[in-house]
Amino acid sequence: MSIAKVSRRALIAGSGAAAATNLSTPAIAQGKRRWKMATAWPKNLPGLGSGAQRIADAITEMSEGAVEVRLYASGELVPAFEIFDAVREGTAELGHAGAAYWVGKNKSFAFFAVVPAGLVAQEQNAWLDYGGGQDLWDEIYGEYGLKAFAAGNTGTQMGGWFNRAIESLDDLSGLRMRIPGLAGEVINRAGGVSVTIPGAEIMPSLQSGVIDAVEFAGPWSDLAFGFHKIAKYYYGPGFHEPGATLELTVNRALWDDLPVHLQTIVAQAAAAENQRMLSEFTAGNTASLIALRDDHGIEPTPMPDEVIRELRRLSEDVVAETAALGDINRRIYENWSRFRAQVAALAPFTEQGALNQRNL
């Protein structure tokens, strides 16, 4: 596989190293490291699973085997929701998942993946690279013995698949929906019941009636899962994930032990995939949306304005409340909020304005 030149940020080494607990020593032979990457995705899942594999392959190839990475899909090494701890403790040297999955440890982790009514993909990249976001990410993850990089983005996600029509706020009452992160709390406050389950368990849960609705990513992955076979109401875009960043986590003690040239390779592999996955999802979602419409009779629709306004109001409350959880939480929220206000003022004159003109 050829590795494209990276056009995004160069290495960000971060600060505040923390030693990992119960750290296992990776196999090193003749100066080579054999690392395991645990992912939250089912094997070969379009975009997410394939993107993680590209990172593993890129690190192995660019390092000429000095860091040989073997990928483990969800459940092969550890369950999807145990990846954070697996990397911290050294069970795996690398992880590929989304920070919203770890909000039970610290709600502010969600800012480094996506928060409801937050930033779209390009805005998120700008915040991380030039708005102070990466420094804050290094600080808060450093407390847990991890280093993290943006390593993929699904773009703006759909609102999800539902087994009943959502025509008013009353229709959310009692609705059991698979939706992780801070968005799950928004659904709870709207009268629903959020359920957090990994990708591999979603389809069986939808089929058996354990959940009434599901959001995952977009038409590409949704079609691969086959959600259209169970739930016929498809809404979008979603209020909850305007641009969902995926992360590559590295055990911090191992990261600090890497020579600088290998650190650069790991960082560049993540940065390259951060852009490539977004492009791939845009192309994949386009083709899959056409297939859902033409082959399966699925016409996605937006939720009623009344519902979106209330979900947006609740989102602002849920996100703002993270600032009260501690000093680092307050600084993350304040920094992110300032940046969001600034890019919101720019948006009508860039992509948002151009798309509005295109649709005239």
Side-chain angles (χ1 to χ4, degrees):
M1 183 180 104
S2 63
I3 307 301
K5 181 180 178 182
V6 176
S7 60
R8 198 168 170 265
R9 71 181 182 285
L11 169 68
I12 302 175
S15 60
T21 60
N22 300 321
L23 182 62
S24 63
T25 303
I28 302 179
Q30 299 179 343
K32 295 184 178 182
R33 295 165 170 81
R34 296 184 176 92
W35 281 9
K36 299 179 290 293
M37 179 195 290
T39 77
W41 325 118
K43 199 171 187 67
N44 300 320
L45 180 67
L48 298 171
S50 56
Q53 185 66 63
R54 283 194 295 264
I55 295 173
D57 293 342
I59 293 171
T60 300
E61 182 177 335
M62 288 195 293
S63 70
E64 297 184 330
V67 181
E68 182 181 309
V69 182
R70 178 180 176 183
L71 184 141
Y72 293 83
S74 174
E76 289 185 339
L77 184 65
V78 294
F81 293 157
E82 295 181 16
I83 290 172
F84 185 94
D85 287 334
V87 178
R88 181 174 61 86
E89 295 167 0
T91 303
E93 290 77 26
L94 300 167
H96 192 265
Y101 288 165
W102 329 128
V103 295
K105 298 180 182 296
N106 192 311
K107 288 186 177 181
S108 293
F109 286 175
F111 287 93
F112 306 103
V114 64
V115 297
L119 304 174
V120 298
Q122 183 55 34
E123 293 170 343
Q124 178 81 352
N125 289 340
W127 177 60
L128 290 173
D129 290 348
Y130 299 105
Q134 184 69 51
D135 289 339
L136 291 165
W137 200 359
D138 287 340
E139 181 178 350
I140 196 169
Y141 266 38
E143 296 176 2
Y144 294 82
L146 294 174
K147 169 69 177 172
F149 298 94
N153 200 302
T154 65
T156 301
Q157 295 197 358
M158 295 293 285
W161 296 83
F162 294 74
N163 64 8
R164 64 175 182 250
I166 305 300
E167 298 176 347
S168 71
L169 288 167
D170 292 340
D171 294 316
L172 296 177
S173 180
L175 183 89
R176 296 163 298 178
M177 183 174 185
R178 184 272 181 190
I179 184 167
L182 298 184
E185 178 60 26
V186 174
I187 289 296
N188 291 340
R189 295 189 188 189
V193 179
S194 65
V195 180
T196 302
I197 51 178
E201 299 176 19
I202 296 174
M203 192 60 171
S205 298
L206 190 62
Q207 288 173 316
S208 65
V210 171
I211 55 176
D212 306 307
V214 55
E215 66 76 35
F216 191 78
W220 191 24
S221 56
D222 293 354
L223 181 61
F225 273 115
F227 296 147
H228 60 281
K229 300 175 183 177
I230 308 298
K232 299 303 182 184
Y233 298 97
Y234 195 26
Y235 292 99
F239 77 96
H240 61 300
E241 295 192 359
T245 297
L246 287 309
E247 65 181 12
L248 178 71
T249 50
V250 189
N251 179 283
R252 187 55 190 260
L254 294 178
W255 169 259
D256 290 340
D257 189 53
L258 275 183
V260 171
H261 73 285
L262 294 180
Q263 288 184 340
T264 302
I265 285 171
V266 172
Q268 288 188 340
E273 187 56 38
N274 196 51
Q275 177 58 48
R276 181 169 180 175
M277 186 184 292
L278 180 61
S279 299
E280 189 177 32
F281 261 98
T282 300
N285 283 338
T286 299
S288 297
L289 183 63
I290 293 171
L292 284 168
R293 183 192 64 200
D294 294 350
D295 300 339
H296 303 288
I298 300 295
E299 287 285 354
T301 59
M303 282 191 177
D305 290 347
E306 169 203 3
V307 175
I308 292 299
R309 287 193 187 98
E310 178 62 9
L311 292 174
R312 169 63 189 273
R313 185 189 69 80
L314 292 171
S315 295
E316 294 293 336
D317 291 343
V318 168
V319 172
E321 288 168 10
T322 64
L325 299 176
D327 175 68
I328 181 64
N329 308 82
R330 175 187 55 78
R331 289 188 285 116
I332 289 170
Y333 174 72
E334 291 178 350
N335 178 282
W336 177 88
S337 295
R338 284 194 299 270
F339 191 85
R340 184 180 67 163
Q342 292 166 355
V343 294
L346 175 66
F349 306 101
T350 54
E351 287 86 353
Q352 178 181 323
L355 290 172
N356 289 339
Q357 289 181 347
R358 190 171 74 183
N359 292 330
L360 287 176

